[in-house]
Amino acid sequence: MERTLILCKPDCVQRRLVGRVLGRFEDKGLNIIAIKMLQVTPELAREHYAEHVDKPFYPELEGFITGAPVVAAVIEGLEAIRVVREMLGATNGLKAAAGTIRGDFSSSQQKNLAHASDSAESAEREIGLYFSADDICGYEPTISPWLR
Ligand code: CMP
């Protein structure tokens, strides 16, 4: 079992797509084991996007991600890190394959609806930025035998 962080970005919240986006992961058989709505601060944005802070697009990215509330969630499941990234699709919504979340709902490189951790190390670090151990409620759904 793996855990990954998903961040429904401000465009996802403003477009009222949070339920549909998170619903895709539930439909797949993944578990939401923590969830919260928050406004990302510039400090948190710099920590979250540490690898992008020096890139030319970072100021615009920070303005976007801090500009309106987001919904953060921890998702658990078999190979969840890879599965969730593949379900999101390519970063640029215009290039993301049809059938992926970005491919179906986004036409933007920046306003691409959701962020997901890209490795086990990133997942652990990013989950720790948004949640404490007490916030996480892992559980075994009673339908598990029908899912895997
Ligand atoms: P995300 O998966 O959250 O990881 C970094 C984010 O930076 C990415 O999604 C996009 O929202 C944004 N991003 C990446 N490349 C660019 C770019 N060239 N211009 C603007 N935003 C970008």
Side-chain angles (χ1 to χ4, degrees):
M1 284 295 221
E2 285 179 354
R3 292 177 174 182
T4 190
L5 179 87
I6 182 100
L7 200 62
C8 295
K9 298 184 186 183
D11 55 326
C12 188
V13 174
Q14 296 295 323
R15 291 176 60 194
R16 281 102 169 103
L17 288 173
V18 174
R20 289 166 79 182
V21 167
L22 294 180
R24 304 264 287 233
F25 301 126
E26 293 190 303
D27 289 346
K28 176 73 174 168
L30 297 159
N31 271 1
I32 297 169
I33 59 168
I35 190 162
K36 71 163 70 154
M37 184 172 232
L38 71 149
Q39 186 104 18
V40 175
T41 62
E43 294 72 31
L44 178 56
R46 279 194 291 276
E47 280 195 85
H48 180 129
Y49 284 129
E51 66 185 297
H52 297 304
V53 164
D54 296 326
K55 298 203 175 137
F57 62 80
Y58 181 77
E60 210 186 319
L61 175 61
E62 185 184 292
F64 162 59
I65 207 74
T66 62
V70 301
V71 172
V74 180
I75 289 182
E76 184 176 69
L78 292 171
E79 299 181 45
I81 296 165
R82 177 187 60 77
V83 167
V84 167
R85 293 275 295 185
E86 287 184 4
M87 288 177 71
L88 271 189
T91 301
N92 186 335
L94 289 173
K95 300 201 170 115
T100 64
I101 291 165
R102 289 167 175 163
D104 288 352
F105 295 108
S106 167
S107 300
S108 167
Q109 172 128 303
Q110 182 181 80
K111 296 184 176 68
N112 59 4
L113 296 168
H115 165 86
S117 310
D118 64 5
S119 66
E121 298 71 37
S122 302
E124 192 178 350
R125 188 182 76 82
E126 293 172 2
I127 289 169
L129 290 176
Y130 292 87
F131 296 97
S132 66
D134 287 351
D135 296 327
I136 297 174
C137 300
Y139 67 101
E140 190 63 35
T142 54
I143 58 161
S144 285
W146 301 101
L147 289 170
R148 46 179 191 257

